[in-house]
Structure formats: structure tokens, C-alpha cells
PDB file of all heavy atoms in Angstrom:
ATOM      1  N   PRO T 197      -7.283  -0.822  24.569  1.00 89.00           N
ATOM      2  CA  PRO T 197      -8.036   0.516  24.648  1.00 89.00           C
ATOM      3  C   PRO T 197      -7.081   1.639  25.346  1.00 89.00           C
ATOM      4  O   PRO T 197      -7.469   2.827  25.179  1.00 89.00           O
ATOM      5  CB  PRO T 197      -9.219   0.157  25.502  1.00 89.00           C
ATOM      6  CG  PRO T 197      -8.762  -0.893  26.367  1.00 89.00           C
ATOM      7  CD  PRO T 197      -7.897  -1.754  25.487  1.00 89.00           C
ATOM      8  N   ASP T 198      -6.100   1.249  25.895  1.00 89.00           N
ATOM      9  CA  ASP T 198      -5.201   2.260  26.489  1.00 89.00           C
ATOM     10  C   ASP T 198      -4.333   3.029  25.488  1.00 89.00           C
ATOM     11  O   ASP T 198      -3.585   3.986  25.835  1.00 89.00           O
ATOM     12  CB  ASP T 198      -4.293   1.613  27.582  1.00 89.00           C
ATOM     13  CG  ASP T 198      -5.151   1.287  28.789  1.00 89.00           C
ATOM     14  OD1 ASP T 198      -6.302   1.775  28.960  1.00 89.00           O
ATOM     15  OD2 ASP T 198      -4.712   0.423  29.561  1.00 89.00           O
ATOM     16  N   ILE T 199      -4.270   2.405  24.325  1.00 91.00           N
ATOM     17  CA  ILE T 199      -3.397   2.981  23.201  1.00 91.00           C
ATOM     18  C   ILE T 199      -4.272   3.579  22.129  1.00 91.00           C
ATOM     19  O   ILE T 199      -5.271   2.936  21.717  1.00 91.00           O
ATOM     20  CB  ILE T 199      -2.411   1.900  22.632  1.00 91.00           C
ATOM     21  CG1 ILE T 199      -1.546   1.336  23.727  1.00 91.00           C
ATOM     22  CG2 ILE T 199      -1.572   2.488  21.516  1.00 91.00           C
ATOM     23  CD1 ILE T 199      -0.585   2.296  24.357  1.00 91.00           C
ATOM     24  N   PRO T 200      -4.064   4.822  21.540  1.00 92.00           N
ATOM     25  CA  PRO T 200      -4.835   5.356  20.549  1.00 92.00           C
ATOM     26  C   PRO T 200      -4.994   4.465  19.303  1.00 92.00           C
ATOM     27  O   PRO T 200      -3.974   3.808  18.951  1.00 92.00           O
ATOM     28  CB  PRO T 200      -4.123   6.666  20.192  1.00 92.00           C
ATOM     29  CG  PRO T 200      -3.415   6.981  21.357  1.00 92.00           C
ATOM     30  CD  PRO T 200      -2.958   5.750  22.125  1.00 92.00           C
ATOM     31  N   GLY T 201      -6.130   4.315  18.773  1.00 93.00           N
ATOM     32  CA  GLY T 201      -6.289   3.481  17.681  1.00 93.00           C
ATOM     33  C   GLY T 201      -5.460   3.717  16.457  1.00 93.00           C
ATOM     34  O   GLY T 201      -4.959   2.769  15.769  1.00 93.00           O
ATOM     35  N   ALA T 202      -5.115   5.020  16.219  1.00 92.00           N
ATOM     36  CA  ALA T 202      -4.186   5.352  15.133  1.00 92.00           C
ATOM     37  C   ALA T 202      -2.810   4.674  15.358  1.00 92.00           C
ATOM     38  O   ALA T 202      -2.231   4.336  14.502  1.00 92.00           O
ATOM     39  CB  ALA T 202      -4.156   6.844  14.938  1.00 92.00           C
ATOM     40  N   PHE T 203      -2.335   4.738  16.541  1.00 94.00           N
ATOM     41  CA  PHE T 203      -1.092   4.111  16.991  1.00 94.00           C
ATOM     42  C   PHE T 203      -1.143   2.589  16.726  1.00 94.00           C
ATOM     43  O   PHE T 203      -0.167   2.013  16.079  1.00 94.00           O
ATOM     44  CB  PHE T 203      -0.795   4.399  18.346  1.00 94.00           C
ATOM     45  CG  PHE T 203      -0.327   5.782  18.667  1.00 94.00           C
ATOM     46  CD1 PHE T 203      -0.738   6.929  17.966  1.00 94.00           C
ATOM     47  CD2 PHE T 203       0.584   6.122  19.653  1.00 94.00           C
ATOM     48  CE1 PHE T 203      -0.276   8.177  18.210  1.00 94.00           C
ATOM     49  CE2 PHE T 203       0.993   7.410  20.042  1.00 94.00           C
ATOM     50  CZ  PHE T 203       0.558   8.419  19.255  1.00 94.00           C
ATOM     51  N   ARG T 204      -2.316   2.061  17.212  1.00 95.00           N
ATOM     52  CA  ARG T 204      -2.285   0.570  16.994  1.00 95.00           C
ATOM     53  C   ARG T 204      -2.226   0.110  15.577  1.00 95.00           C
ATOM     54  O   ARG T 204      -1.645  -0.902  15.162  1.00 95.00           O
ATOM     55  CB  ARG T 204      -3.519   0.034  17.769  1.00 95.00           C
ATOM     56  CG  ARG T 204      -3.458  -0.005  19.298  1.00 95.00           C
ATOM     57  CD  ARG T 204      -4.616  -0.550  19.860  1.00 95.00           C
ATOM     58  NE  ARG T 204      -5.657   0.531  20.182  1.00 95.00           N
ATOM     59  CZ  ARG T 204      -6.935   0.479  19.789  1.00 95.00           C
ATOM     60  NH1 ARG T 204      -7.368  -0.575  19.182  1.00 95.00           N
ATOM     61  NH2 ARG T 204      -7.743   1.502  20.133  1.00 95.00           N
ATOM     62  N   ALA T 205      -3.037   0.828  14.857  1.00 95.00           N
ATOM     63  CA  ALA T 205      -3.165   0.477  13.352  1.00 95.00           C
ATOM     64  C   ALA T 205      -1.751   0.603  12.705  1.00 95.00           C
ATOM     65  O   ALA T 205      -1.344  -0.338  11.843  1.00 95.00           O
ATOM     66  CB  ALA T 205      -4.206   1.458  12.673  1.00 95.00           C
ATOM     67  N   VAL T 206      -1.022   1.657  12.957  1.00 96.00           N
ATOM     68  CA  VAL T 206       0.319   1.882  12.241  1.00 96.00           C
ATOM     69  C   VAL T 206       1.249   0.848  12.776  1.00 96.00           C
ATOM     70  O   VAL T 206       2.075   0.249  12.005  1.00 96.00           O
ATOM     71  CB  VAL T 206       0.674   3.265  12.506  1.00 96.00           C
ATOM     72  CG1 VAL T 206       2.263   3.426  12.059  1.00 96.00           C
ATOM     73  CG2 VAL T 206      -0.136   4.287  11.815  1.00 96.00           C
ATOM     74  N   ALA T 207       1.217   0.578  14.182  1.00 96.00           N
ATOM     75  CA  ALA T 207       2.209  -0.286  14.636  1.00 96.00           C
ATOM     76  C   ALA T 207       2.186  -1.651  14.154  1.00 96.00           C
ATOM     77  O   ALA T 207       3.224  -2.336  13.927  1.00 96.00           O
ATOM     78  CB  ALA T 207       1.987  -0.314  16.233  1.00 96.00           C
ATOM     79  N   PHE T 208       0.958  -2.227  13.880  1.00 95.00           N
ATOM     80  CA  PHE T 208       0.787  -3.503  13.313  1.00 95.00           C
ATOM     81  C   PHE T 208       0.909  -3.583  11.859  1.00 95.00           C
ATOM     82  O   PHE T 208       0.880  -4.673  11.328  1.00 95.00           O
ATOM     83  CB  PHE T 208      -0.478  -4.141  13.863  1.00 95.00           C
ATOM     84  CG  PHE T 208      -0.444  -4.679  15.294  1.00 95.00           C
ATOM     85  CD1 PHE T 208      -0.717  -3.776  16.243  1.00 95.00           C
ATOM     86  CD2 PHE T 208       0.016  -5.863  15.535  1.00 95.00           C
ATOM     87  CE1 PHE T 208      -0.618  -4.264  17.586  1.00 95.00           C
ATOM     88  CE2 PHE T 208       0.145  -6.361  16.821  1.00 95.00           C
ATOM     89  CZ  PHE T 208      -0.166  -5.504  17.922  1.00 95.00           C
ATOM     90  N   GLU T 209       1.104  -2.400  11.190  1.00 95.00           N
ATOM     91  CA  GLU T 209       1.461  -2.552   9.699  1.00 95.00           C
ATOM     92  C   GLU T 209       3.022  -2.440   9.519  1.00 95.00           C
ATOM     93  O   GLU T 209       3.478  -2.847   8.455  1.00 95.00           O
ATOM     94  CB  GLU T 209       0.862  -1.193   9.054  1.00 95.00           C
ATOM     95  CG  GLU T 209      -0.600  -1.331   9.001  1.00 95.00           C
ATOM     96  CD  GLU T 209      -1.253  -0.048   8.396  1.00 95.00           C
ATOM     97  OE1 GLU T 209      -0.465   0.953   8.193  1.00 95.00           O
ATOM     98  OE2 GLU T 209      -2.458  -0.063   8.163  1.00 95.00           O
ATOM     99  N   LEU T 210       3.736  -1.943  10.472  1.00 96.00           N
ATOM    100  CA  LEU T 210       5.153  -1.771  10.354  1.00 96.00           C
ATOM    101  C   LEU T 210       5.948  -3.159  10.501  1.00 96.00           C
ATOM    102  O   LEU T 210       5.370  -4.082  11.144  1.00 96.00           O
ATOM    103  CB  LEU T 210       5.728  -0.853  11.459  1.00 96.00           C
ATOM    104  CG  LEU T 210       5.290   0.632  11.434  1.00 96.00           C
ATOM    105  CD1 LEU T 210       5.849   1.329  12.631  1.00 96.00           C
ATOM    106  CD2 LEU T 210       5.817   1.220  10.150  1.00 96.00           C
ATOM    107  N   GLN T 211       7.170  -3.321   9.952  1.00 96.00           N
ATOM    108  CA  GLN T 211       7.969  -4.440  10.182  1.00 96.00           C
ATOM    109  C   GLN T 211       8.991  -3.998  11.273  1.00 96.00           C
ATOM    110  O   GLN T 211       9.274  -2.752  11.372  1.00 96.00           O
ATOM    111  CB  GLN T 211       8.652  -4.796   8.906  1.00 96.00           C
ATOM    112  CG  GLN T 211       7.708  -5.363   7.829  1.00 96.00           C
ATOM    113  CD  GLN T 211       6.855  -6.489   8.255  1.00 96.00           C
ATOM    114  OE1 GLN T 211       7.432  -7.518   8.878  1.00 96.00           O
ATOM    115  NE2 GLN T 211       5.573  -6.465   8.018  1.00 96.00           N
ATOM    116  N   PRO T 212       9.482  -4.936  12.028  1.00 95.00           N
ATOM    117  CA  PRO T 212      10.590  -4.594  13.072  1.00 95.00           C
ATOM    118  C   PRO T 212      11.705  -3.733  12.510  1.00 95.00           C
ATOM    119  O   PRO T 212      12.275  -4.063  11.454  1.00 95.00           O
ATOM    120  CB  PRO T 212      10.997  -5.935  13.529  1.00 95.00           C
ATOM    121  CG  PRO T 212       9.888  -6.880  13.322  1.00 95.00           C
ATOM    122  CD  PRO T 212       9.241  -6.434  12.056  1.00 95.00           C
ATOM    123  N   GLY T 213      12.012  -2.642  13.073  1.00 95.00           N
ATOM    124  CA  GLY T 213      13.004  -1.748  12.626  1.00 95.00           C
ATOM    125  C   GLY T 213      12.492  -0.604  11.733  1.00 95.00           C
ATOM    126  O   GLY T 213      13.090   0.401  11.489  1.00 95.00           O
ATOM    127  N   GLN T 214      11.307  -0.753  11.228  1.00 95.00           N
ATOM    128  CA  GLN T 214      10.704   0.471  10.462  1.00 95.00           C
ATOM    129  C   GLN T 214      10.210   1.561  11.244  1.00 95.00           C
ATOM    130  O   GLN T 214       9.795   1.361  12.439  1.00 95.00           O
ATOM    131  CB  GLN T 214       9.557  -0.146   9.561  1.00 95.00           C
ATOM    132  CG  GLN T 214       9.972  -0.911   8.410  1.00 95.00           C
ATOM    133  CD  GLN T 214       8.782  -1.281   7.475  1.00 95.00           C
ATOM    134  OE1 GLN T 214       7.630  -1.544   7.974  1.00 95.00           O
ATOM    135  NE2 GLN T 214       8.875  -1.076   6.184  1.00 95.00           N
ATOM    136  N   VAL T 215      10.311   2.787  10.606  1.00 95.00           N
ATOM    137  CA  VAL T 215       9.766   3.937  11.293  1.00 95.00           C
ATOM    138  C   VAL T 215       8.610   4.447  10.473  1.00 95.00           C
ATOM    139  O   VAL T 215       8.606   4.555   9.246  1.00 95.00           O
ATOM    140  CB  VAL T 215      10.931   5.078  11.358  1.00 95.00           C
ATOM    141  CG1 VAL T 215      10.358   6.384  11.957  1.00 95.00           C
ATOM    142  CG2 VAL T 215      12.136   4.588  12.260  1.00 95.00           C
ATOM    143  N   SER T 216       7.571   4.916  11.226  1.00 95.00           N
ATOM    144  CA  SER T 216       6.429   5.423  10.593  1.00 95.00           C
ATOM    145  C   SER T 216       6.581   6.814   9.991  1.00 95.00           C
ATOM    146  O   SER T 216       7.454   7.493  10.446  1.00 95.00           O
ATOM    147  CB  SER T 216       5.217   5.341  11.615  1.00 95.00           C
ATOM    148  OG  SER T 216       5.384   6.309  12.540  1.00 95.00           O
ATOM    149  N   ASN T 217       5.609   7.188   9.213  1.00 94.00           N
ATOM    150  CA  ASN T 217       5.496   8.534   8.776  1.00 94.00           C
ATOM    151  C   ASN T 217       4.697   9.308   9.955  1.00 94.00           C
ATOM    152  O   ASN T 217       4.142   8.562  10.786  1.00 94.00           O
ATOM    153  CB  ASN T 217       4.596   8.679   7.507  1.00 94.00           C
ATOM    154  CG  ASN T 217       5.457   8.196   6.285  1.00 94.00           C
ATOM    155  OD1 ASN T 217       6.580   8.395   6.192  1.00 94.00           O
ATOM    156  ND2 ASN T 217       4.835   7.540   5.424  1.00 94.00           N
ATOM    157  N   PRO T 218       4.704  10.551  10.004  1.00 94.00           N
ATOM    158  CA  PRO T 218       3.941  11.233  11.021  1.00 94.00           C
ATOM    159  C   PRO T 218       2.593  10.909  11.225  1.00 94.00           C
ATOM    160  O   PRO T 218       1.834  10.781  10.138  1.00 94.00           O
ATOM    161  CB  PRO T 218       4.214  12.725  10.733  1.00 94.00           C
ATOM    162  CG  PRO T 218       5.397  12.766   9.891  1.00 94.00           C
ATOM    163  CD  PRO T 218       5.310  11.474   9.012  1.00 94.00           C
ATOM    164  N   ILE T 219       2.117  10.710  12.376  1.00 94.00           N
ATOM    165  CA  ILE T 219       0.717  10.340  12.714  1.00 94.00           C
ATOM    166  C   ILE T 219       0.083  11.603  13.447  1.00 94.00           C
ATOM    167  O   ILE T 219       0.748  12.066  14.471  1.00 94.00           O
ATOM    168  CB  ILE T 219       0.605   9.053  13.639  1.00 94.00           C
ATOM    169  CG1 ILE T 219       1.337   7.864  13.005  1.00 94.00           C
ATOM    170  CG2 ILE T 219      -0.786   8.803  14.061  1.00 94.00           C
ATOM    171  CD1 ILE T 219       1.633   6.813  14.047  1.00 94.00           C
ATOM    172  N   THR T 220      -0.921  12.105  12.924  1.00 92.00           N
ATOM    173  CA  THR T 220      -1.612  13.224  13.610  1.00 92.00           C
ATOM    174  C   THR T 220      -2.552  12.748  14.787  1.00 92.00           C
ATOM    175  O   THR T 220      -3.449  11.948  14.458  1.00 92.00           O
ATOM    176  CB  THR T 220      -2.398  14.065  12.602  1.00 92.00           C
ATOM    177  OG1 THR T 220      -1.416  14.604  11.667  1.00 92.00           O
ATOM    178  CG2 THR T 220      -3.066  15.299  13.325  1.00 92.00           C
ATOM    179  N   PHE T 221      -2.316  13.164  15.975  1.00 90.00           N
ATOM    180  CA  PHE T 221      -3.302  12.894  17.032  1.00 90.00           C
ATOM    181  C   PHE T 221      -3.212  13.945  18.040  1.00 90.00           C
ATOM    182  O   PHE T 221      -2.158  14.271  18.530  1.00 90.00           O
ATOM    183  CB  PHE T 221      -2.713  11.422  17.653  1.00 90.00           C
ATOM    184  CG  PHE T 221      -3.447  10.960  18.843  1.00 90.00           C
ATOM    185  CD1 PHE T 221      -4.766  10.427  18.664  1.00 90.00           C
ATOM    186  CD2 PHE T 221      -3.025  11.133  20.177  1.00 90.00           C
ATOM    187  CE1 PHE T 221      -5.594  10.079  19.721  1.00 90.00           C
ATOM    188  CE2 PHE T 221      -3.836  10.729  21.198  1.00 90.00           C
ATOM    189  CZ  PHE T 221      -5.066  10.175  21.005  1.00 90.00           C
ATOM    190  N   GLU T 222      -4.471  14.363  18.462  1.00 86.00           N
ATOM    191  CA  GLU T 222      -4.646  15.344  19.442  1.00 86.00           C
ATOM    192  C   GLU T 222      -3.811  16.577  19.182  1.00 86.00           C
ATOM    193  O   GLU T 222      -3.221  17.160  20.066  1.00 86.00           O
ATOM    194  CB  GLU T 222      -4.364  14.809  20.838  1.00 86.00           C
ATOM    195  CG  GLU T 222      -5.397  13.833  21.316  1.00 86.00           C
ATOM    196  CD  GLU T 222      -5.104  13.466  22.713  1.00 86.00           C
ATOM    197  OE1 GLU T 222      -4.072  13.549  23.232  1.00 86.00           O
ATOM    198  OE2 GLU T 222      -6.133  12.789  23.302  1.00 86.00           O
ATOM    199  N   GLY T 223      -3.760  17.027  17.978  1.00 86.00           N
ATOM    200  CA  GLY T 223      -3.098  18.237  17.487  1.00 86.00           C
ATOM    201  C   GLY T 223      -1.553  18.182  17.426  1.00 86.00           C
ATOM    202  O   GLY T 223      -0.939  19.174  17.237  1.00 86.00           O
ATOM    203  N   SER T 224      -0.893  17.039  17.606  1.00 89.00           N
ATOM    204  CA  SER T 224       0.441  16.828  17.547  1.00 89.00           C
ATOM    205  C   SER T 224       0.828  15.844  16.538  1.00 89.00           C
ATOM    206  O   SER T 224       0.033  14.997  16.129  1.00 89.00           O
ATOM    207  CB  SER T 224       1.112  16.478  18.931  1.00 89.00           C
ATOM    208  OG  SER T 224       0.857  17.570  19.870  1.00 89.00           O
ATOM    209  N   LEU T 225       2.194  15.801  16.108  1.00 93.00           N
ATOM    210  CA  LEU T 225       2.621  14.829  15.299  1.00 93.00           C
ATOM    211  C   LEU T 225       3.370  13.805  16.054  1.00 93.00           C
ATOM    212  O   LEU T 225       4.178  14.091  16.935  1.00 93.00           O
ATOM    213  CB  LEU T 225       3.540  15.260  14.200  1.00 93.00           C
ATOM    214  CG  LEU T 225       2.964  16.276  13.070  1.00 93.00           C
ATOM    215  CD1 LEU T 225       3.899  16.689  12.040  1.00 93.00           C
ATOM    216  CD2 LEU T 225       1.722  15.454  12.400  1.00 93.00           C
ATOM    217  N   HIS T 226       3.248  12.451  15.847  1.00 95.00           N
ATOM    218  CA  HIS T 226       3.840  11.391  16.519  1.00 95.00           C
ATOM    219  C   HIS T 226       4.522  10.435  15.497  1.00 95.00           C
ATOM    220  O   HIS T 226       4.050  10.120  14.441  1.00 95.00           O
ATOM    221  CB  HIS T 226       2.760  10.546  17.375  1.00 95.00           C
ATOM    222  CG  HIS T 226       1.940  11.491  18.266  1.00 95.00           C
ATOM    223  ND1 HIS T 226       2.385  11.658  19.577  1.00 95.00           N
ATOM    224  CD2 HIS T 226       0.881  12.219  18.045  1.00 95.00           C
ATOM    225  CE1 HIS T 226       1.504  12.397  20.142  1.00 95.00           C
ATOM    226  NE2 HIS T 226       0.570  12.753  19.182  1.00 95.00           N
ATOM    227  N   ILE T 227       5.715  10.015  15.879  1.00 95.00           N
ATOM    228  CA  ILE T 227       6.398   9.052  15.093  1.00 95.00           C
ATOM    229  C   ILE T 227       6.620   7.730  15.927  1.00 95.00           C
ATOM    230  O   ILE T 227       7.045   7.868  17.131  1.00 95.00           O
ATOM    231  CB  ILE T 227       7.884   9.629  14.736  1.00 95.00           C
ATOM    232  CG1 ILE T 227       7.733  11.086  14.320  1.00 95.00           C
ATOM    233  CG2 ILE T 227       8.466   8.829  13.621  1.00 95.00           C
ATOM    234  CD1 ILE T 227       6.872  11.387  13.092  1.00 95.00           C
ATOM    235  N   LEU T 228       6.387   6.653  15.207  1.00 96.00           N
ATOM    236  CA  LEU T 228       6.661   5.237  15.898  1.00 96.00           C
ATOM    237  C   LEU T 228       7.827   4.533  15.146  1.00 96.00           C
ATOM    238  O   LEU T 228       7.848   4.634  13.968  1.00 96.00           O
ATOM    239  CB  LEU T 228       5.377   4.495  15.830  1.00 96.00           C
ATOM    240  CG  LEU T 228       4.072   5.126  16.546  1.00 96.00           C
ATOM    241  CD1 LEU T 228       2.858   4.126  16.401  1.00 96.00           C
ATOM    242  CD2 LEU T 228       4.418   5.452  17.989  1.00 96.00           C
ATOM    243  N   LYS T 229       8.519   3.824  15.971  1.00 96.00           N
ATOM    244  CA  LYS T 229       9.377   2.734  15.432  1.00 96.00           C
ATOM    245  C   LYS T 229       9.079   1.496  16.070  1.00 96.00           C
ATOM    246  O   LYS T 229       8.996   1.323  17.264  1.00 96.00           O
ATOM    247  CB  LYS T 229      10.790   3.099  15.822  1.00 96.00           C
ATOM    248  CG  LYS T 229      11.802   2.102  15.204  1.00 96.00           C
ATOM    249  CD  LYS T 229      13.251   2.303  15.771  1.00 96.00           C
ATOM    250  CE  LYS T 229      14.105   1.115  15.318  1.00 96.00           C
ATOM    251  NZ  LYS T 229      15.434   1.148  15.931  1.00 96.00           N
ATOM    252  N   LEU T 230       8.772   0.444  15.120  1.00 97.00           N
ATOM    253  CA  LEU T 230       8.493  -0.835  15.760  1.00 97.00           C
ATOM    254  C   LEU T 230       9.825  -1.582  16.058  1.00 97.00           C
ATOM    255  O   LEU T 230      10.646  -1.763  15.278  1.00 97.00           O
ATOM    256  CB  LEU T 230       7.688  -1.699  14.682  1.00 97.00           C
ATOM    257  CG  LEU T 230       7.315  -3.201  15.087  1.00 97.00           C
ATOM    258  CD1 LEU T 230       6.422  -3.079  16.274  1.00 97.00           C
ATOM    259  CD2 LEU T 230       6.808  -3.938  13.947  1.00 97.00           C
ATOM    260  N   GLU T 231       9.908  -1.961  17.304  1.00 96.00           N
ATOM    261  CA  GLU T 231      11.087  -2.646  17.774  1.00 96.00           C
ATOM    262  C   GLU T 231      11.018  -4.177  17.600  1.00 96.00           C
ATOM    263  O   GLU T 231      11.933  -4.873  17.034  1.00 96.00           O
ATOM    264  CB  GLU T 231      11.343  -2.261  19.384  1.00 96.00           C
ATOM    265  CG  GLU T 231      11.726  -0.837  19.614  1.00 96.00           C
ATOM    266  CD  GLU T 231      13.090  -0.436  19.104  1.00 96.00           C
ATOM    267  OE1 GLU T 231      13.969  -1.438  18.919  1.00 96.00           O
ATOM    268  OE2 GLU T 231      13.450   0.627  19.097  1.00 96.00           O
ATOM    269  N   GLU T 232       9.822  -4.774  17.969  1.00 96.00           N
ATOM    270  CA  GLU T 232       9.695  -6.150  17.849  1.00 96.00           C
ATOM    271  C   GLU T 232       8.167  -6.477  17.902  1.00 96.00           C
ATOM    272  O   GLU T 232       7.395  -5.695  18.378  1.00 96.00           O
ATOM    273  CB  GLU T 232      10.382  -6.891  18.872  1.00 96.00           C
ATOM    274  CG  GLU T 232       9.977  -6.658  20.271  1.00 96.00           C
ATOM    275  CD  GLU T 232      10.664  -7.557  21.365  1.00 96.00           C
ATOM    276  OE1 GLU T 232      10.806  -8.835  20.951  1.00 96.00           O
ATOM    277  OE2 GLU T 232      11.041  -7.110  22.392  1.00 96.00           O
ATOM    278  N   ARG T 233       7.873  -7.759  17.515  1.00 96.00           N
ATOM    279  CA  ARG T 233       6.522  -8.334  17.834  1.00 96.00           C
ATOM    280  C   ARG T 233       6.670  -9.412  18.683  1.00 96.00           C
ATOM    281  O   ARG T 233       7.587 -10.228  18.635  1.00 96.00           O
ATOM    282  CB  ARG T 233       5.904  -8.779  16.436  1.00 96.00           C
ATOM    283  CG  ARG T 233       5.523  -7.732  15.273  1.00 96.00           C
ATOM    284  CD  ARG T 233       4.202  -7.198  15.454  1.00 96.00           C
ATOM    285  NE  ARG T 233       3.883  -6.308  14.403  1.00 96.00           N
ATOM    286  CZ  ARG T 233       3.409  -6.677  13.235  1.00 96.00           C
ATOM    287  NH1 ARG T 233       3.308  -7.968  12.941  1.00 96.00           N
ATOM    288  NH2 ARG T 233       3.254  -5.774  12.277  1.00 96.00           N
TER     289      ARG T 233
END
């Protein structure tokens, strides 16, 4: 619950090394890169 739901959903769809498309959250764009599972 400490991590926004949109972040969690995207993170667990990525493969290690992949970078996400922009995620809109609280009026800003956020980019995630999955390092490892």
C-alpha cells in the first residue's frame, strides 16, 4: 500500500531491464525501469 497502484501494476508487467512508458500520477509523468524480481 505504500506504493501507488499504477506503479505496482506496471512494475509487475515489465521484464528485468525494461523501461516503462510514461505513467501519469498526481499530475506528473513517471518512468520506471525494472531492475530485478
Side-chain angles (χ1 to χ4, degrees):
D198 289 337
I199 301 297
F203 285 29
R204 287 182 270 130
V206 170
F208 281 89
E209 290 176 354
L210 297 172
Q211 296 301 314
Q214 279 189 321
V215 175
S216 73
N217 289 320
I219 304 166
T220 301
F221 178 72
E222 292 186 344
S224 297
L225 291 185
H226 303 264
I227 316 299
L228 302 182
K229 178 191 176 185
L230 180 65
E231 294 289 343
E232 64 172 321
R233 295 268 185 86

